[in-house]
Amino acid sequence: MMRRSLFEKSGKIPVRRPPASGPYLESGWTDYQHQLHNCGFVNGYPLPLIFVDHMEDTRSVHHIPSPEHEEYKLAMRGQGLADYTNKFYVTGGKNLLANGTIEVLKNEPAPKTLLMDELTLFIPLAGRAELWPQLSDFLERQTLARDRIKLILLDTSQNEIFSKQVKHWLADCDYSDVRVICEQVGRAGLADQPRREVTPAVQKSMAQIYNRLRQIVETEFVWILEDDILPPDDVCERLLAHFTDSVASVAAPYKSRFGARYVAWDQTGKNFTTRGQGLRSVGGNGFGCVVIRSEAISKFKFDPTKDCDRQFYEVFSRGKSASLVDWSCESHHGLLAEFRSAASEAAHNKNTSIEEPSIA
């Protein structure tokens, strides 16, 4: 088992062809491990060793005949697997340890390796054409390295013109790993209906969106960014920097569409009405702009009769994992009146310069 990102950077494991006089197929795995070691990574085998059943070994009940390994098998006959392992590996390892020629891993926290990790950026698109220019400009400006990002756009707009506009941007963007998924999760335009009047339908649609995310996320972290939230350009790096083993999510705060409170609440469930400072532990927050451990999302099944964010953090609040908000990353909510008017004007100006994309 190894990190996929490391394997992709290091290349394929070489396999050498056997020399004319040699009986074996020689694997380049050992050389590959040396290459990883020279790059500063720790790799090898744990002690005590974990025994596995090797199907090319005649001692295995699942043995499969393999002519090219016949000489090896003959040499192994008469030796039990545990005895052989203890003699040549465990005893040898202890000798190396006694001689000081083997590195011992100390019981210390491993250094952070977040810079190597890939991250899923998940954006549900409701078809808000007037806000898309703001969002697409942010995607071009945001500072997290593109090769770390798996970008997934879930287009629920059911609007062919809007979908073409998104695909037109994708054709020229510099994100190398992009997926666009088109799904119908409710009637078109539902996201911008008077929220209090359509709450049950919105809850059902949002549960479908985030249950879809559960099925497709593969990276260690997922960054959720809703299409009406505009955060600082370096928001993801700043949120990632706060993760420790005890932290499950870190969010950027933003105001509710109703303007009087933030979509973040304390441990009693009460929303914050005034802006906080620094990093704060919270009872939960909205999914507008948040980085979450993917393991937490993938194990959680969203109930279509409840608010997704509330039910998610209600479960988290019972455990030991912390949920944090970084107030220095406060983000704009595009559905607030003062922001939306500016966004509408920007959308108009940008749309007038977009040529109709050709569709193969």
Side-chain angles (χ1 to χ4, degrees):
M1 181 177 290
M2 64 186 294
R3 291 183 181 275
R4 183 174 59 187
S5 58
L6 180 58
F7 178 77
E8 291 173 348
K9 291 179 180 179
S10 300
K12 298 179 179 179
I13 301 171
V15 179
R16 303 195 198 101
R17 294 188 177 277
S21 58
Y24 312 123
L25 286 173
E26 186 179 5
S27 169
W29 172 240
T30 300
D31 290 340
Y32 197 77
Q33 286 184 293
H34 289 165
Q35 177 183 330
L36 297 178
H37 172 77
N38 291 335
C39 292
F41 297 100
V42 175
N43 68 96
Y45 301 92
L47 284 175
L49 290 171
I50 300 171
F51 297 123
V52 297
D53 199 353
H54 199 294
M55 291 183 289
E56 290 175 340
D57 194 324
T58 55
R59 294 163 295 187
S60 168
V61 295
H62 305 292
H63 165 64
I64 297 175
S66 179
E68 60 269 26
H69 287 82
E70 192 60 31
E71 186 175 332
Y72 166 77
K73 295 169 188 174
L74 287 171
M76 296 300 102
R77 284 176 183 157
Q79 302 178 58
L81 178 58
D83 292 339
Y84 179 83
T85 301
N86 284 323
K87 178 180 179 181
F88 290 99
Y89 288 94
V90 177
T91 302
K94 289 179 179 178
N95 290 337
L96 290 172
L97 184 60
N99 295 332
T101 56
I102 188 171
E103 179 182 359
V104 180
L105 297 182
K106 298 179 180 179
N107 188 22
E108 297 176 352
K112 285 188 177 182
T113 55
L114 291 179
L115 290 178
M116 291 181 53
D117 294 339
E118 292 179 328
L119 171 144
T120 297
L121 171 51
F122 179 74
I123 306 178
L125 296 173
R128 296 174 172 125
E130 74 275 20
L131 298 182
W132 170 249
Q134 302 279 346
L135 176 59
S136 59
D137 286 347
F138 167 78
L139 290 174
E140 293 168 4
R141 295 192 316 267
Q142 72 83 24
T143 58
L144 191 68
R146 304 292 193 267
D147 60 358
R148 293 183 59 191
I149 295 176
K150 291 181 175 293
L151 177 59
I152 300 179
L153 303 175
L154 184 64
D155 183 357
T156 65
S157 67
Q158 304 171 57
N159 185 316
E160 185 176 355
I161 296 176
F162 175 78
S163 297
K164 285 182 178 180
Q165 187 177 0
V166 173
K167 291 176 181 177
H168 185 272
W169 176 82
L170 288 176
D172 294 326
C173 79
D174 57 355
Y175 289 82
S176 58
D177 191 340
V178 182
R179 293 171 62 184
V180 180
I181 303 172
C182 295
E183 284 196 7
Q184 180 177 343
V185 298
R187 63 180 181 272
L190 176 65
D192 288 334
Q193 299 281 321
R195 180 53 54 90
R196 292 191 174 95
E197 297 177 13
V198 295
T199 293
V202 170
Q203 289 174 334
K204 183 177 180 180
S205 297
M206 297 308 293
Q208 187 172 339
I209 287 172
Y210 289 113
N211 280 327
R212 185 75 170 97
L213 172 60
R214 292 175 55 233
Q215 301 167 358
I216 58 179
V217 65
E218 298 176 342
T219 56
E220 184 177 0
F221 295 95
V222 57
W223 172 17
I224 299 174
L225 180 64
E226 295 185 342
D227 63 351
D228 57 346
I229 302 299
L230 188 65
D233 293 350
D234 60 348
V235 65
C236 192
E237 292 166 301
R238 290 158 68 179
L239 298 182
L240 280 172
H242 299 308
F243 274 91
T244 64
D245 290 342
S246 62
V247 175
S249 75
V250 187
Y254 56 93
K255 284 190 175 181
S256 163
R257 66 172 61 206
F258 303 111
R261 56 195 173 98
Y262 285 90
V263 190
W265 49 92
D266 60 22
Q267 279 71 17
T268 68
K270 184 178 180 181
N271 286 69
F272 298 106
T273 55
T274 57
R275 190 181 190 278
Q277 293 183 343
L279 190 66
R280 177 165 180 173
S281 178
V282 295
N285 49 260
F287 285 163
C289 182
V290 59
V291 177
I292 305 176
R293 291 189 184 277
S294 299
E295 181 182 14
I297 283 283
S298 62
K299 290 182 177 180
F300 191 90
K301 187 172 182 179
F302 291 91
D303 185 336
T305 65
K306 301 178 180 178
D307 289 334
C308 286
D309 48 12
R310 286 279 179 176
Q311 58 174 299
F312 182 76
Y313 285 103
E314 181 182 356
V315 172
F316 262 168
S317 64
R318 303 174 194 154
K320 298 180 181 179
S321 299
S323 303
L324 306 176
V325 160
D326 185 346
W327 286 98
S328 72
C329 295
E330 182 172 356
S331 304
H332 296 288
H333 193 162
L335 293 182
L336 296 177
E338 66 269 20
F339 183 74
R340 191 157 192 174
S341 59
S344 298
E345 182 178 353
H348 174 75
N349 294 337
K350 192 163 186 175
N351 286 337
T352 56
S353 63
I354 291 181
E355 296 179 2
E356 182 71 9
S358 61
I359 304 297

